[in-house]
Short mmCIF file of all heavy atoms in Angstrom, two decimals:
data_model
loop_
_atom_site.label_atom_id
_atom_site.label_comp_id
_atom_site.label_asym_id
_atom_site.label_seq_id
_atom_site.Cartn_x
_atom_site.Cartn_y
_atom_site.Cartn_z
N GLY A 53 6.80 -12.46 -1.13
CA GLY A 53 5.77 -11.91 -0.35
C GLY A 53 4.44 -11.57 -1.03
O GLY A 53 3.34 -11.79 -0.58
N LEU A 54 4.65 -11.00 -2.19
CA LEU A 54 3.57 -10.59 -3.08
C LEU A 54 2.65 -11.73 -3.45
O LEU A 54 1.45 -11.72 -3.39
CB LEU A 54 4.04 -9.88 -4.34
CG LEU A 54 3.04 -9.20 -5.22
CD1 LEU A 54 2.29 -8.13 -4.52
CD2 LEU A 54 3.72 -8.83 -6.53
N LEU A 55 3.30 -12.92 -3.91
CA LEU A 55 2.57 -13.99 -4.36
C LEU A 55 1.89 -14.81 -3.33
O LEU A 55 0.70 -15.15 -3.37
CB LEU A 55 3.51 -14.91 -5.22
CG LEU A 55 3.99 -14.28 -6.55
CD1 LEU A 55 4.98 -15.18 -7.20
CD2 LEU A 55 2.78 -14.16 -7.48
N TRP A 56 2.60 -15.15 -2.30
CA TRP A 56 2.01 -15.96 -1.22
C TRP A 56 0.94 -15.25 -0.49
O TRP A 56 -0.14 -15.84 -0.17
CB TRP A 56 2.99 -16.71 -0.30
CG TRP A 56 3.46 -15.81 0.83
CD1 TRP A 56 4.79 -15.20 0.91
CD2 TRP A 56 2.90 -15.50 2.05
NE1 TRP A 56 4.85 -14.49 2.15
CE2 TRP A 56 3.77 -14.71 2.85
CE3 TRP A 56 1.66 -15.83 2.59
CZ2 TRP A 56 3.46 -14.17 4.19
CZ3 TRP A 56 1.28 -15.37 3.91
CH2 TRP A 56 2.20 -14.55 4.64
N MET A 57 1.19 -13.98 -0.18
CA MET A 57 0.20 -13.23 0.56
C MET A 57 -1.05 -12.95 -0.28
O MET A 57 -2.21 -12.97 0.23
CB MET A 57 0.79 -11.92 1.08
CG MET A 57 -0.24 -11.06 1.87
SD MET A 57 -0.86 -11.92 3.34
CE MET A 57 0.34 -11.52 4.57
N SER A 58 -0.87 -12.73 -1.55
CA SER A 58 -2.04 -12.54 -2.43
C SER A 58 -2.85 -13.81 -2.45
O SER A 58 -4.12 -13.78 -2.34
CB SER A 58 -1.60 -12.23 -3.92
OG SER A 58 -0.92 -10.98 -4.02
N GLY A 59 -2.23 -14.97 -2.61
CA GLY A 59 -2.96 -16.22 -2.63
C GLY A 59 -3.70 -16.40 -1.37
O GLY A 59 -4.92 -16.85 -1.33
N LEU A 60 -3.01 -16.22 -0.21
CA LEU A 60 -3.63 -16.48 1.12
C LEU A 60 -4.84 -15.55 1.41
O LEU A 60 -5.83 -15.94 1.85
CB LEU A 60 -2.53 -16.40 2.19
CG LEU A 60 -3.07 -16.72 3.62
CD1 LEU A 60 -3.56 -18.11 3.69
CD2 LEU A 60 -1.96 -16.44 4.63
N ALA A 61 -4.54 -14.24 0.99
CA ALA A 61 -5.63 -13.25 1.26
C ALA A 61 -6.85 -13.49 0.51
O ALA A 61 -7.99 -13.14 0.92
CB ALA A 61 -5.05 -11.81 1.05
N ILE A 62 -6.73 -13.97 -0.70
CA ILE A 62 -7.95 -14.38 -1.55
C ILE A 62 -8.88 -15.23 -0.66
O ILE A 62 -10.03 -15.08 -0.61
CB ILE A 62 -7.54 -15.02 -2.79
CG1 ILE A 62 -6.83 -14.09 -3.78
CG2 ILE A 62 -8.80 -15.75 -3.47
CD1 ILE A 62 -6.26 -14.84 -5.04
N VAL A 63 -8.21 -16.16 0.09
CA VAL A 63 -9.00 -17.19 0.84
C VAL A 63 -9.31 -16.57 2.20
O VAL A 63 -10.46 -16.53 2.73
CB VAL A 63 -8.23 -18.50 0.93
CG1 VAL A 63 -8.99 -19.41 1.93
CG2 VAL A 63 -8.08 -19.16 -0.38
N SER A 64 -8.31 -16.16 2.94
CA SER A 64 -8.46 -15.79 4.41
C SER A 64 -9.36 -14.52 4.52
O SER A 64 -10.11 -14.42 5.46
CB SER A 64 -7.14 -15.54 5.05
OG SER A 64 -6.41 -14.47 4.48
N ALA A 65 -9.20 -13.52 3.64
CA ALA A 65 -9.94 -12.31 3.82
C ALA A 65 -11.35 -12.36 3.28
O ALA A 65 -12.16 -11.67 3.68
CB ALA A 65 -9.13 -11.08 3.25
N VAL A 66 -11.57 -13.15 2.25
CA VAL A 66 -12.80 -13.19 1.51
C VAL A 66 -13.42 -14.57 1.41
O VAL A 66 -14.56 -14.85 1.94
CB VAL A 66 -12.71 -12.47 0.12
CG1 VAL A 66 -14.09 -12.39 -0.51
CG2 VAL A 66 -11.96 -11.20 0.27
N LEU A 67 -12.83 -15.40 0.60
CA LEU A 67 -13.45 -16.65 0.11
C LEU A 67 -13.77 -17.68 1.20
O LEU A 67 -14.78 -18.40 1.06
CB LEU A 67 -12.70 -17.24 -1.00
CG LEU A 67 -12.64 -16.42 -2.32
CD1 LEU A 67 -11.94 -17.25 -3.39
CD2 LEU A 67 -14.01 -15.87 -2.75
N LEU A 68 -12.91 -17.71 2.24
CA LEU A 68 -13.16 -18.68 3.21
C LEU A 68 -14.41 -18.31 4.04
O LEU A 68 -15.30 -19.20 4.32
CB LEU A 68 -11.96 -18.78 4.25
CG LEU A 68 -12.18 -19.81 5.34
CD1 LEU A 68 -12.44 -21.20 4.92
CD2 LEU A 68 -10.94 -19.73 6.34
N ASN A 88 -9.47 -20.18 12.46
CA ASN A 88 -8.30 -19.44 12.48
C ASN A 88 -7.41 -19.76 13.63
O ASN A 88 -6.19 -19.69 13.61
CB ASN A 88 -8.64 -17.95 12.46
CG ASN A 88 -8.92 -17.54 11.00
OD1 ASN A 88 -7.96 -17.17 10.24
ND2 ASN A 88 -10.22 -17.39 10.72
N THR A 91 -5.61 -23.05 12.75
CA THR A 91 -4.55 -22.83 11.77
C THR A 91 -3.39 -21.95 12.34
O THR A 91 -2.22 -22.18 11.97
CB THR A 91 -5.05 -22.14 10.50
OG1 THR A 91 -5.70 -20.92 10.86
CG2 THR A 91 -6.04 -23.05 9.82
N SER A 95 0.55 -22.99 12.45
CA SER A 95 1.54 -22.10 11.97
C SER A 95 2.60 -21.97 13.13
O SER A 95 3.86 -21.95 12.83
CB SER A 95 1.03 -20.71 11.66
OG SER A 95 0.15 -20.68 10.61
N GLY A 127 1.73 -26.07 0.25
CA GLY A 127 0.87 -24.91 0.52
C GLY A 127 -0.05 -24.61 -0.65
O GLY A 127 -1.24 -24.33 -0.42
N LEU A 131 -4.17 -25.02 -0.17
CA LEU A 131 -5.00 -23.81 -0.18
C LEU A 131 -6.10 -23.93 -1.22
O LEU A 131 -7.21 -23.53 -0.80
CB LEU A 131 -4.09 -22.62 -0.53
CG LEU A 131 -4.73 -21.24 -0.39
CD1 LEU A 131 -5.21 -20.96 1.04
CD2 LEU A 131 -3.86 -20.11 -0.92
N THR A 134 -8.90 -26.21 0.27
CA THR A 134 -9.72 -25.61 1.35
C THR A 134 -11.12 -25.29 0.91
O THR A 134 -12.11 -25.41 1.64
CB THR A 134 -9.00 -24.34 1.87
OG1 THR A 134 -7.73 -24.65 2.36
CG2 THR A 134 -9.84 -23.73 3.08
N TYR A 147 -6.72 -26.62 5.90
CA TYR A 147 -6.16 -25.21 6.00
C TYR A 147 -4.97 -25.26 6.99
O TYR A 147 -4.01 -24.53 6.75
CB TYR A 147 -7.28 -24.32 6.70
CG TYR A 147 -7.14 -22.88 6.39
CD1 TYR A 147 -6.31 -22.40 5.35
CD2 TYR A 147 -7.89 -21.97 7.15
CE1 TYR A 147 -6.23 -21.04 5.14
CE2 TYR A 147 -7.71 -20.65 6.86
CZ TYR A 147 -6.94 -20.12 5.83
OH TYR A 147 -6.82 -18.80 5.59
N CYS A 150 -2.06 -26.36 5.00
CA CYS A 150 -1.65 -25.21 4.19
C CYS A 150 -0.61 -24.35 4.98
O CYS A 150 0.38 -23.81 4.35
CB CYS A 150 -2.79 -24.36 3.71
SG CYS A 150 -2.38 -22.88 2.73
N MET A 151 -0.87 -24.12 6.28
CA MET A 151 0.00 -23.36 7.10
C MET A 151 1.34 -24.04 7.28
O MET A 151 2.42 -23.41 7.40
CB MET A 151 -0.67 -23.16 8.45
CG MET A 151 -1.84 -22.25 8.43
SD MET A 151 -1.66 -20.59 7.71
CE MET A 151 -2.53 -20.93 6.13
N LEU A 154 3.10 -23.20 4.02
CA LEU A 154 3.47 -21.78 3.99
C LEU A 154 4.68 -21.54 4.86
O LEU A 154 5.62 -20.82 4.46
CB LEU A 154 2.28 -20.90 4.42
CG LEU A 154 2.56 -19.48 4.52
CD1 LEU A 154 3.03 -18.81 3.30
CD2 LEU A 154 1.25 -18.72 5.10
N ILE A 158 8.30 -19.72 4.56
CA ILE A 158 8.66 -18.36 5.29
C ILE A 158 9.84 -18.49 6.19
O ILE A 158 10.69 -17.67 6.12
CB ILE A 158 7.43 -17.89 6.02
CG1 ILE A 158 6.32 -17.52 5.07
CG2 ILE A 158 7.79 -16.67 6.99
CD1 ILE A 158 5.04 -17.02 5.83
N GLY A 188 0.57 -7.55 -1.14
CA GLY A 188 -0.14 -8.85 -1.47
C GLY A 188 -1.42 -9.04 -0.80
O GLY A 188 -2.45 -9.49 -1.36
N ALA A 189 -1.54 -8.57 0.45
CA ALA A 189 -2.77 -8.63 1.27
C ALA A 189 -3.92 -7.91 0.58
O ALA A 189 -5.02 -8.49 0.31
CB ALA A 189 -2.57 -8.16 2.68
N GLY A 192 -4.79 -9.50 -2.83
CA GLY A 192 -5.61 -10.77 -2.62
C GLY A 192 -6.99 -10.48 -2.30
O GLY A 192 -7.92 -11.11 -2.78
N THR A 193 -7.18 -9.56 -1.36
CA THR A 193 -8.57 -9.13 -1.02
C THR A 193 -9.26 -8.55 -2.18
O THR A 193 -10.51 -8.84 -2.46
CB THR A 193 -8.53 -8.04 0.11
OG1 THR A 193 -7.76 -8.52 1.11
CG2 THR A 193 -9.93 -7.66 0.46
N LEU A 209 -7.02 -20.00 -8.31
CA LEU A 209 -6.01 -18.91 -8.41
C LEU A 209 -5.18 -18.77 -7.17
O LEU A 209 -3.91 -18.58 -7.21
CB LEU A 209 -6.61 -17.63 -8.83
CG LEU A 209 -5.75 -16.42 -8.99
CD1 LEU A 209 -4.65 -16.71 -10.05
CD2 LEU A 209 -6.56 -15.14 -9.32
N ALA A 210 -5.83 -18.92 -6.00
CA ALA A 210 -5.17 -18.70 -4.74
C ALA A 210 -4.08 -19.89 -4.59
O ALA A 210 -2.95 -19.53 -4.15
CB ALA A 210 -6.19 -18.80 -3.66
N GLY A 211 -4.40 -21.04 -4.92
CA GLY A 211 -3.42 -22.13 -4.83
C GLY A 211 -2.29 -21.94 -5.74
O GLY A 211 -1.15 -22.19 -5.32
N LEU A 213 -1.03 -19.09 -6.88
CA LEU A 213 -0.22 -18.01 -6.39
C LEU A 213 0.66 -18.40 -5.21
O LEU A 213 1.85 -18.05 -5.16
CB LEU A 213 -1.03 -16.77 -6.03
CG LEU A 213 -1.77 -16.09 -7.16
CD1 LEU A 213 -2.74 -15.01 -6.57
CD2 LEU A 213 -0.75 -15.38 -8.14
N MET A 214 0.06 -19.23 -4.34
CA MET A 214 0.81 -19.71 -3.13
C MET A 214 2.00 -20.59 -3.69
O MET A 214 3.11 -20.41 -3.20
CB MET A 214 -0.06 -20.47 -2.29
CG MET A 214 0.63 -21.18 -1.09
SD MET A 214 1.10 -20.07 0.27
CE MET A 214 -0.57 -19.78 1.04
N GLN A 274 -4.84 -8.66 13.06
CA GLN A 274 -5.67 -9.83 12.74
C GLN A 274 -7.13 -9.74 13.17
O GLN A 274 -8.05 -10.19 12.54
CB GLN A 274 -5.09 -11.11 13.28
CG GLN A 274 -3.77 -11.57 12.52
CD GLN A 274 -4.10 -11.93 11.10
OE1 GLN A 274 -5.06 -12.49 10.81
NE2 GLN A 274 -3.09 -11.65 10.21
N GLN A 401 -2.20 -14.28 14.96
CA GLN A 401 -3.20 -14.85 14.04
C GLN A 401 -4.27 -15.77 14.77
O GLN A 401 -5.42 -15.77 14.41
CB GLN A 401 -2.54 -15.68 12.93
CG GLN A 401 -1.74 -14.79 11.95
CD GLN A 401 -0.82 -15.69 11.08
OE1 GLN A 401 -0.55 -16.83 11.35
NE2 GLN A 401 -0.33 -15.07 10.07
#
Side-chain angles (χ1 to χ4, degrees):
L54 185 67
L55 289 175
W56 80 256
M57 181 57 88
S58 295
L60 183 63
I62 289 172
V63 174
S64 65
V66 185
L67 295 189
L68 179 60
N88 279 279
T91 53
S95 293
L131 187 61
T134 301
Y147 206 18
C150 179
M151 295 304 105
L154 175 59
I158 292 178
T193 304
L209 179 58
L213 291 173
M214 176 75 77
Q274 288 294 325
Q401 292 171 342

